[in-house]
Amino acid sequence: MAKKHGQLKQAIAKMVQSAMEYVDKTPDEQTRVELIEALRTVTEGKIHVEVERARLTRMRVAIYELKGQIKEACETLQEVQVETYGSMDKREKTDFILEQMRLCLAKRDYIRLAIISHKINPKFFQTDGTEDLKLRFYELMIQYDLHEENYLEVCRHYKQVYETNVIKDDTAKWPAVLQNMVLYLVLSPYGNEQSDMLHRVQKEDHNLEKLELCAQLVKGFTTMELTRWPAVESIYGGEFRKTDVFSAQTEDGNKRWLALRDRVIEHNIRVIAKYYTRASTQRLTELLDLPSDDVERFLSKAVVDGTIYARIDRPAGVVNFAKPSDSEEQLNGWASDVSKLLGLVEKTTHLIAKEEIVNKIARAI
């Protein structure tokens, strides 16, 4: 009937919709698969039944999944480009794309997962009734960015989850989400964005005060004071090593714990560079609780990243943190100093003249 010449589009659409009602009534799985495949063949390439084809494809994919054929399920679902379907409801379209992302994750196809994720506009989650889709989307993105070790993006995803009403209003859920957000923010490499977000979380989020250890950790990274790693390990290790982020039972957890140690050392190097102009390598090994080779490695990394300025004199065993200024900077500095000096002279003259007038008036009286 679908191949009949001159067949009306409405008739084909109605026939497919009626036939889809019998899918759940099929006596066995083989008959169901044959019916689904027949309907998918009929709907192939026809715009007026594109929504029905997408739904039939999801039914076929569900059967693949039940059999454990993840690769076939993923490839079948990716054949349908629902983002181009104008007749499909936006919520159903987003749900379909999320299903594509989930199967890519199950297949460990992270590149395709990243590509598909760009088909969803996060602004869509601002509309009412989309919180369940929002949580699904960010859960998938968290798993992707954890695989890529992009901790700042993981922190952003947790922030979006944390700001969702169903999470923020639930006292049983928001502490874990906020804790994960803070831990991944601290694990992120230092930069302007990371530093700004760290200070904003500390100042603006009042719930952070209810998580004492997280509040202390954030304060340690926002205060320009040395934070010794042995002290950090003794204060936070007992509690944080039980979390999924730093779990002592998993390889990823141990890897992140070592990454936290690196962040503490990098913070200490920035503190030292701020307060010291020159320091011996021996003194740095004491301050950073590191052997000299590791001190040099961390200093080199900080210099390459542009976090600090440093020059190492190996024969003398001295590190110079003072950045040399060129002639133009020196002249600007001198001009500024002269301007300040003249300002002070003018202010002093004014005060002397004022005092003389007061004394004259006092004597006259």
Side-chain angles (χ1 to χ4, degrees):
M1 290 178 67
K3 293 180 180 179
K4 182 180 176 183
H5 182 69
Q7 184 68 278
L8 293 174
K9 294 178 181 179
Q10 291 86 347
I12 296 175
K14 192 67 178 174
M15 179 188 69
V16 171
Q17 290 167 5
S18 300
M20 284 176 66
E21 296 175 2
Y22 294 100
V23 172
D24 294 329
K25 300 176 182 178
T26 49
D28 53 54
E29 187 178 294
Q30 184 179 354
T31 309
R32 173 185 264 193
V33 170
E34 289 175 357
L35 177 57
I36 291 172
E37 288 296 343
L39 290 172
R40 289 185 70 225
T41 303
V42 169
T43 56
E44 187 175 5
K46 296 182 175 65
I47 295 176
H48 52 282
V49 285
E50 59 188 6
V51 176
E52 286 76 11
R53 177 173 171 77
R55 290 169 182 165
L56 287 164
T57 303
R58 286 197 68 168
M59 294 178 189
R60 183 69 181 98
V61 166
I63 295 171
Y64 276 133
E65 271 201 280
L66 286 173
K67 293 180 178 179
Q69 298 174 312
I70 302 297
K71 183 180 178 182
E72 289 79 1
C74 186
E75 290 173 355
T76 303
L77 200 64
Q78 285 172 17
E79 292 174 2
V80 184
Q81 307 297 326
V82 290
E83 66 274 8
T84 62
Y85 291 3
S87 55
M88 182 179 279
D89 177 66
K90 202 164 187 178
R91 180 183 172 83
E92 186 179 359
K93 195 183 294 187
T94 304
D95 181 54
F96 198 97
I97 296 172
L98 287 173
E99 195 66 15
Q100 290 179 329
M101 290 172 62
R102 184 185 66 80
L103 287 172
C104 285
L105 189 65
K107 188 186 171 187
R108 299 186 179 278
D109 189 350
Y110 295 102
I111 296 174
R112 193 172 293 278
L113 169 62
I115 294 170
I116 294 174
S117 68
H118 292 129
K119 296 177 181 179
I120 296 178
N121 187 350
K123 290 182 179 178
F124 168 69
F125 299 127
Q126 295 174 4
T127 56
D128 295 333
T130 59
E131 290 184 339
D132 57 327
L133 297 178
K134 178 181 179 180
L135 294 176
R136 280 174 59 197
F137 173 73
Y138 284 112
E139 178 59 35
L140 292 168
M141 293 307 298
I142 285 168
Q143 293 183 52
Y144 166 74
D145 282 306
L146 281 177
H147 174 265
E148 299 294 318
E149 296 183 7
N150 193 346
Y151 298 132
L152 187 58
E153 287 298 324
V154 174
C155 168
R156 286 202 195 97
H157 300 327
Y158 271 116
K159 188 173 186 294
Q160 292 295 330
V161 173
Y162 174 66
E163 291 174 351
T164 307
N165 291 332
V166 292
I167 299 295
K168 204 161 190 176
D169 297 339
D170 192 338
T171 53
K173 293 180 179 178
W174 70 257
V177 176
L178 180 59
Q179 178 178 276
N180 287 342
M181 185 183 91
V182 169
L183 294 181
Y184 283 114
L185 180 56
V186 169
L187 278 173
S188 305
Y190 177 79
N192 292 335
E193 193 172 356
Q194 187 262 2
S195 178
D196 177 63
M197 191 178 291
L198 204 59
H199 282 84
R200 278 194 284 112
V201 166
Q202 185 186 28
K203 291 179 182 178
E204 298 173 8
D205 200 325
H206 302 296
N207 283 332
L208 185 64
E209 298 170 2
K210 299 174 184 177
L211 304 178
E212 187 178 347
L213 284 179
C214 288
Q216 288 180 13
L217 186 64
V218 170
K219 185 179 179 181
F221 276 90
T222 52
T223 307
M224 291 305 284
E225 296 178 1
L226 288 176
T227 306
R228 310 297 283 266
W229 172 248
V232 171
E233 200 167 18
S234 63
I235 295 170
Y236 306 107
E239 185 68 27
F240 287 164
R241 293 291 272 170
K242 297 175 184 176
T243 64
D244 292 336
V245 181
F246 297 118
S247 175
Q249 309 301 322
T250 63
E251 184 181 346
D252 289 338
N254 291 323
K255 190 175 181 181
R256 292 186 200 113
W257 187 247
L258 292 175
L260 178 63
R261 172 178 171 271
D262 292 350
R263 298 295 171 264
V264 170
I265 294 169
E266 289 165 6
H267 168 75
N268 290 339
I269 287 174
R270 292 194 297 274
V271 173
I272 292 169
K274 180 177 180 180
Y275 294 113
Y276 281 78
T277 53
R278 294 173 78 247
S280 66
T281 308
Q282 182 62 35
R283 179 60 176 151
L284 290 176
T285 58
E286 295 171 4
L287 292 173
L288 297 173
D289 300 303
L290 289 173
S292 57
D293 290 344
D294 287 346
V295 168
E296 188 171 322
R297 178 168 62 85
F298 277 101
L299 280 172
S300 301
K301 184 178 183 301
V303 171
V304 170
D305 293 342
T307 308
I308 63 167
Y309 174 89
R311 290 292 181 267
I312 302 173
D313 186 348
R314 279 180 174 171
V318 174
V319 180
N320 186 7
F321 294 104
K323 188 175 183 180
S325 56
D326 57 22
S327 57
E328 186 176 349
E329 288 178 351
Q330 287 180 350
L331 287 171
N332 289 337
W334 290 340
S336 175
D337 291 342
V338 169
S339 298
K340 290 177 182 177
L341 178 61
L342 291 174
L344 289 171
V345 169
E346 186 178 354
K347 186 177 181 180
T348 306
T349 306
H350 173 72
L351 291 172
I352 292 170
K354 181 181 177 182
E355 195 67 27
E356 287 176 349
I357 294 169
V358 170
N359 287 332
K360 285 179 183 179
I361 293 170
R363 284 198 302 270
I365 293 172

